[in-house]
Amino acid sequence: MSSASVDKHAAILDAAYELFGSGGFYETKMSEVAERAGIAKGTVYLYFKSKEELFMAVTRRDCEGFLEQLEGKLRACSAMTDKLSVIAEHHLFYYYERKQHTKLFFRAPNNNPELVAYMAQFMEAYMQAVVKVLLEGGATEPELMAQSYIGILDRLKMDILFDPEFAEADADKRAKFAARLFITGALGSLDSALGDFPAEAES
Amino acid sequence: MSSASVDKHAAILDAAYELFGSGGFYETKMSEVAERAGIAKGTVYLYFKSKEELFMAVTRRDCEGFLEQLEGKLRACSAMTDKLSVIAEHHLFYYYERKQHTKLFFRAPNNNPELVAYMAQFMEAYMQAVVKVLLEGGATEPELMAQSYIGILDRLKMDILFDPEFAEADADKRAKFAARLFITGALGSLDSALGDFPAEAES
Amino acid sequence: MSSASVDKHAAILDAAYELFGSGGFYETKMSEVAERAGIAKGTVYLYFKSKEELFMAVTRRDCEGFLEQLEGKLRACSAMTDKLSVIAEHHLFYYYERKQHTKLFFRAPNNNPELVAYMAQFMEAYMQAVVKVLLEGGATEPELMAQSYIGILDRLKMDILFDPEFAEADADKRAKFAARLFITGALGSLDSALGDFPAEAES
Amino acid sequence: MSSASVDKHAAILDAAYELFGSGGFYETKMSEVAERAGIAKGTVYLYFKSKEELFMAVTRRDCEGFLEQLEGKLRACSAMTDKLSVIAEHHLFYYYERKQHTKLFFRAPNNNPELVAYMAQFMEAYMQAVVKVLLEGGATEPELMAQSYIGILDRLKMDILFDPEFAEADADKRAKFAARLFITGALGSLDSALGDFPAEAES
DNA sequence: CATGAATGAGTATTCATTCAT
DNA sequence: CATGAATGAATACTCATTCAT
């Protein structure tokens, strides 16, 4: 692939990321992607076979970037609590930086098995990264624990995406909150009424 | 509204719920909705101004049902721990019963401010319902706590939606897991390495 | 099918006949067909599933008309020689009246198995009509004879299609010529040099 | 034109003959022609100005070959009856050998006046070749006679093109049949009912 | 001469919505 | 109220042709 080709390939991905991200799959036109990338309509098809394939490529690049950055940050610290904090910060800041592009995940093409499969694989990889951290602490049910942690982070990110007032400091605060809640549970913040929580089962 | 009208109104909503739920917004045709509802295409427009409005109505009915049922179940118990369990069970079983209709939430129409606003309002109402429970326990940061709990439940429901093997017993197990994790935190399941977690780190 | 529907169905076929006939399949646009039929583009698709299906319908209507008219004319006479003349006149005049629409046969869509099959069936039916006439005269090899006769007529029609000067009288003359040549052979018009033609085989 | 150029020119014509012949004009892509000729897409345009011109060149080469071979074979015999047999055999075997390439004639580009003119000129030349033979026998109406003969041959070749079972022996049989029918007419194979055919009816 | 990356005109088809009956 | 025939805007994708290298 020549240097010019790389440039164009990347330019198309960038343009598509912007448009798919802010408008969703169905409301983004290939002609707009071409225009924003500064090339002709037909040229897009030299690099991506179809609109769906382009969407897949955009999604894949974004997800891979998410995981790669996460792995890098995790390697930089050793204590499990630090790692959990790193995960929270990464999750929230990643979306904080992309708050304009929420549609990439919410407005995907329907009924595309390849995309569904890829997203499932991405979620699995993300979960396993968290599982790996939890196993260092000898967690039981690490997969459910990992999913729960990701769930907390994913919900706490929502205001980031939709609240225009949201600031970086808020993201940071939420990251810390998430990590602490996950570790210590709500017990710490709740009064003694909880003291009698049946630890084994709520039957 | 006459009784026949009520019937038709409901028939359309039922048909649309099935189709939007299993095919998503963009891949569902108004003509299909009419056909499944057993009426003529034009008649749909006597009851709903547009496809988007119909989607809104379907979503609203579903969300309202979710909240109403939840309120009912919460009124039936008094201890906060019971209520948290009830929330978890409700969340997971509600989706368990609707596992065929995942597209209703994942494949919504793009760029519809009204829908976005409604979903935000629904989330707020759901969150407040949880907040109300948490406040009985005197929680600090009850909103973030509520969101986190919902986040856990929402993530744990994912496998329910996408794993065809998922059984009712699994849903039950996950509900119990979620409630306990939320209350006691991961600490209980992790070894002493966590003992030195800086509980006040976010200060 | 309501009367209005019949009208529209026929109007589309008429418009398509004109355009496919003069421009061929590939160079005729569905929007042109709609415009000439005085309806909206989408309406064409209420009556014909696709451009290819419309082309098929036009072709079928034309071929069926050809055969039906021929059968009618053949029933009106009894002597075999009369029938052969009738065939010749029908073939040449049919194309004479349609000289503006040659493309219907020459510019058909490529690789459409259904169309190929239909044309083969039409040719078979036409041939059998001629065979039936020839069998009254006790012909041997009636199928090859019929094909040959049709071949003569088809070639003699070519100038009709392409020579703008061609007049009705010329068509009539050619019809008579064809019938006589077919019956008596070239021998009558050629001098004695042919006398020694080896009637059984040219080996 | 250098030797390499000649090679390439011929390679393109060969490739185009294969593809136009089996797929027709509209469904053959210039990129496929280039690929099959083993050269780059742009190079085709160094030798042929456009797709239509290439199609013309392919057609012309094929038609010229047809006529040249025919002239050669005709020079090799002297009796008129022999020559008529030679024409029949040539026509049928020429297509027999090219049965894979039927689309070259049936799927020509629409509305190309140059091609229409060339085909008319080819037909004229072919007809004149037959006329020349017939004139040796002192035929009246030699042009109509020639066209008729060609018409018989052209129709009898149809099964050759479309019937996969067709064998060389069948082609030979048809050639003999055509020559004899043309010379002696159907009269020989029909019973006395034809005896009263009004030979001068067209006067 | 040869290349092949880039171009952009061109078109069949769908489907939400309307409105005459 | 109900119908469904008619509408027409909207868009992905192809491929002949060009031209900088």
Side-chain angles (χ1 to χ4, degrees):
Chain A
M1 213 183 247
S2 76
S3 149
S5 288
V6 171
D7 287 354
K8 238 156 236 171
H9 188 93
I12 296 169
L13 280 177
D14 290 343
Y17 176 73
E18 289 294 326
L19 293 167
F20 283 141
S22 57
F25 178 80
Y26 287 99
E27 301 201 2
T28 294
K29 297 173 221 158
M30 289 299 263
S31 56
E32 288 172 353
V33 173
E35 194 181 11
R36 180 179 266 258
I39 59 174
K41 214 180 341 162
T43 307
V44 177
Y45 287 89
L46 295 181
Y47 293 85
F48 301 94
K49 212 165 65 232
S50 67
K51 189 181 179 182
E52 293 212 340
E53 192 178 292
L54 176 57
F55 189 89
M56 266 292 293
V58 168
T59 303
R60 184 177 283 124
R61 189 179 68 163
D62 201 49
C63 290
E64 284 172 0
F66 180 92
L67 289 179
E68 276 167 22
Q69 287 177 34
L70 178 61
E71 305 285 1
K73 289 176 182 169
L74 285 176
R75 271 193 297 275
C77 59
S78 54
M80 187 175 73
T81 53
D82 290 347
K83 286 182 174 172
L84 288 174
S85 293
V86 157
I87 291 169
E89 284 156 20
H90 178 64
H91 192 120
L92 295 176
F93 280 98
Y94 191 85
Y95 286 105
Y96 181 73
E97 285 160 6
R98 285 161 181 73
K99 49 190 306 190
Q100 300 312 322
H101 304 108
T102 78
K103 307 287 176 53
L104 191 57
F105 306 99
F106 293 117
R107 316 300 192 193
N110 293 0
N111 300 332
N112 183 338
E114 208 183 347
L115 181 66
V116 170
Y118 180 75
M119 289 309 294
Q121 180 213 306
F122 165 72
M123 270 311 305
E124 176 71 18
Y126 185 14
M127 188 186 74
Q128 288 305 338
V130 179
V131 161
K132 199 172 139 199
V133 170
L134 292 174
L135 282 179
E136 296 174 16
T140 58
E141 303 268 32
E143 300 206 338
L144 287 184
M145 301 266 284
Q147 298 231 51
S148 298
Y149 194 42
I150 294 173
I152 292 173
L153 299 172
D154 224 48
R155 176 64 54 175
L156 291 180
K157 115 203 155 192
M158 284 302 178
D159 293 334
I160 297 183
L161 294 181
F162 297 111
D163 180 355
E165 310 288 313
F166 212 90
E168 196 166 341
D170 299 312
D172 194 52
K173 180 193 163 196
R174 283 180 178 227
K176 289 189 167 56
F177 174 88
R180 195 164 55 123
L181 172 65
F182 179 69
I183 306 272
T184 66
L187 205 56
S189 328
L190 298 173
D191 65 19
S192 59
L194 269 177
D196 57 352
F197 182 70
E200 295 312 309
E202 67 277 46
S203 63
Chain B
M1 216 182 242
S2 77
S3 146
S5 288
V6 171
D7 288 353
K8 249 165 218 169
H9 189 91
I12 295 169
L13 281 176
D14 289 344
Y17 175 74
E18 287 294 326
L19 294 168
F20 283 142
S22 57
F25 179 80
Y26 287 98
E27 302 201 1
T28 294
K29 298 172 209 164
M30 290 297 265
S31 56
E32 288 172 351
V33 173
E35 191 182 14
R36 180 180 267 257
I39 59 174
K41 220 178 337 168
T43 307
V44 177
Y45 287 86
L46 298 177
Y47 294 85
F48 301 93
K49 209 170 66 215
S50 68
K51 190 183 180 183
E52 293 210 340
E53 192 177 293
L54 175 57
F55 188 89
M56 267 290 296
V58 168
T59 303
R60 182 177 286 123
R61 188 179 68 163
D62 200 52
C63 289
E64 283 171 359
F66 180 92
L67 288 179
E68 277 167 22
Q69 286 178 34
L70 179 62
E71 306 284 2
K73 289 176 182 170
L74 285 176
R75 272 193 297 275
C77 59
S78 55
M80 186 176 73
T81 53
D82 289 348
K83 287 183 174 172
L84 287 174
S85 292
V86 156
I87 291 170
E89 284 157 19
H90 178 63
H91 193 119
L92 294 176
F93 280 98
Y94 191 84
Y95 287 106
Y96 180 74
E97 285 160 8
R98 285 160 180 75
K99 49 191 305 188
Q100 300 311 322
H101 304 106
T102 76
K103 306 283 178 57
L104 191 57
F105 305 100
F106 293 116
R107 316 299 191 190
N110 295 356
N111 299 333
N112 183 340
E114 204 182 352
L115 181 66
V116 170
Y118 179 74
M119 290 307 295
Q121 180 212 305
F122 164 72
M123 269 311 305
E124 176 70 18
Y126 186 14
M127 188 186 74
Q128 288 305 337
V130 180
V131 161
K132 198 172 142 201
V133 170
L134 292 175
L135 282 178
E136 297 173 15
T140 58
E141 303 269 33
E143 300 205 338
L144 287 185
M145 300 268 284
Q147 297 230 50
S148 297
Y149 193 43
I150 294 172
I152 291 172
L153 298 171
D154 223 47
R155 176 65 55 176
L156 290 180
K157 116 202 153 194
M158 285 302 178
D159 293 334
I160 298 182
L161 294 182
F162 296 111
D163 180 356
E165 309 289 310
F166 212 90
E168 195 165 342
D170 298 312
D172 195 53
K173 179 192 163 196
R174 284 181 177 226
K176 290 186 168 56
F177 174 89
R180 198 162 49 133
L181 172 65
F182 178 69
I183 307 277
T184 65
L187 203 57
S189 334
L190 297 175
D191 64 22
S192 58
L194 270 175
D196 57 352
F197 181 71
E200 298 303 318
E202 79 279 15
S203 64
Chain C
M1 213 182 248
S2 76
S3 149
S5 288
V6 170
D7 288 353
K8 237 156 237 175
H9 188 93
I12 295 169
L13 280 177
D14 290 343
Y17 176 74
E18 288 294 327
L19 292 168
F20 282 143
S22 58
F25 178 81
Y26 288 98
E27 302 201 1
T28 294
K29 297 174 221 159
M30 290 298 264
S31 58
E32 288 172 353
V33 172
E35 192 182 13
R36 180 179 264 258
I39 58 175
K41 217 176 341 162
T43 308
V44 177
Y45 288 88
L46 295 180
Y47 293 85
F48 300 94
K49 210 167 63 232
S50 68
K51 189 181 180 183
E52 293 212 340
E53 191 177 293
L54 176 57
F55 189 90
M56 265 292 293
V58 168
T59 302
R60 183 179 283 123
R61 187 179 70 161
D62 201 50
C63 289
E64 284 172 0
F66 180 92
L67 289 179
E68 277 167 22
Q69 287 176 32
L70 178 62
E71 305 284 1
K73 289 176 183 171
L74 286 177
R75 272 193 296 275
C77 60
S78 54
M80 187 176 72
T81 53
D82 289 348
K83 287 182 173 172
L84 287 174
S85 292
V86 156
I87 291 169
E89 283 157 17
H90 179 65
H91 192 120
L92 295 176
F93 280 98
Y94 192 84
Y95 285 106
Y96 181 74
E97 286 160 5
R98 283 160 181 75
K99 48 190 308 188
Q100 300 312 322
H101 305 107
T102 78
K103 305 288 176 50
L104 192 56
F105 307 100
F106 293 118
R107 317 298 191 194
N110 293 359
N111 300 333
N112 183 338
E114 207 183 348
L115 181 65
V116 169
Y118 180 75
M119 290 308 294
Q121 179 214 307
F122 165 72
M123 269 312 305
E124 177 71 16
Y126 185 15
M127 189 186 73
Q128 289 304 337
V130 179
V131 160
K132 198 172 141 198
V133 171
L134 292 175
L135 282 179
E136 296 174 15
T140 58
E141 303 270 31
E143 300 206 337
L144 287 185
M145 301 267 286
Q147 298 233 49
S148 297
Y149 194 43
I150 293 172
I152 292 172
L153 298 171
D154 224 48
R155 178 62 56 173
L156 290 179
K157 118 206 152 189
M158 285 301 178
D159 292 335
I160 298 181
L161 294 181
F162 297 111
D163 180 355
E165 309 288 312
F166 211 91
E168 194 166 343
D170 298 314
D172 195 52
K173 181 192 162 195
R174 282 180 179 228
K176 289 188 168 57
F177 174 88
R180 194 163 55 120
L181 173 65
F182 179 68
I183 306 275
T184 65
L187 205 55
S189 328
L190 296 173
D191 65 19
S192 58
L194 267 178
D196 57 353
F197 181 70
E200 293 312 311
E202 65 280 43
S203 63
Chain D
M1 218 182 240
S2 76
S3 148
S5 290
V6 171
D7 288 352
K8 248 163 219 170
H9 189 93
I12 296 169
L13 282 175
D14 290 343
Y17 175 74
E18 288 293 326
L19 294 169
F20 283 142
S22 57
F25 179 79
Y26 287 97
E27 303 201 1
T28 294
K29 299 172 208 163
M30 290 297 264
S31 57
E32 289 172 350
V33 173
E35 190 182 14
R36 180 181 266 257
I39 59 175
K41 221 180 333 169
T43 308
V44 177
Y45 287 86
L46 297 177
Y47 294 86
F48 300 94
K49 209 168 66 215
S50 69
K51 189 182 181 184
E52 294 210 340
E53 193 177 293
L54 175 57
F55 188 89
M56 268 290 296
V58 168
T59 303
R60 184 178 284 124
R61 188 178 70 163
D62 200 50
C63 289
E64 283 171 0
F66 180 92
L67 289 179
E68 276 166 22
Q69 285 177 36
L70 178 61
E71 306 285 3
K73 289 176 182 170
L74 286 176
R75 272 194 297 276
C77 61
S78 53
M80 187 175 72
T81 53
D82 288 350
K83 287 182 174 173
L84 288 174
S85 293
V86 157
I87 290 169
E89 284 158 17
H90 179 64
H91 193 119
L92 294 177
F93 280 98
Y94 191 84
Y95 286 106
Y96 181 74
E97 285 160 6
R98 283 160 181 75
K99 50 190 306 188
Q100 301 312 323
H101 303 106
T102 76
K103 305 283 178 57
L104 190 58
F105 306 99
F106 293 116
R107 315 298 191 192
N110 294 355
N111 299 333
N112 182 340
E114 205 182 352
L115 181 64
V116 170
Y118 179 76
M119 289 308 293
Q121 179 213 307
F122 165 71
M123 270 311 303
E124 176 72 17
Y126 185 14
M127 188 186 74
Q128 288 306 336
V130 179
V131 162
K132 197 172 142 199
V133 169
L134 292 175
L135 282 179
E136 295 173 16
T140 58
E141 302 270 34
E143 299 205 338
L144 287 184
M145 300 269 283
Q147 296 231 50
S148 298
Y149 193 43
I150 293 171
I152 292 172
L153 298 172
D154 224 46
R155 178 63 56 175
L156 291 180
K157 117 203 152 192
M158 285 303 179
D159 293 335
I160 297 181
L161 293 183
F162 296 110
D163 181 355
E165 308 288 310
F166 213 90
E168 195 165 342
D170 298 312
D172 195 52
K173 181 193 163 195
R174 284 181 176 225
K176 290 185 169 57
F177 175 88
R180 196 159 54 132
L181 172 66
F182 179 68
I183 307 276
T184 65
L187 204 56
S189 334
L190 298 173
D191 64 22
S192 57
L194 269 176
D196 57 352
F197 182 71
E200 298 305 318
E202 79 279 17
S203 64

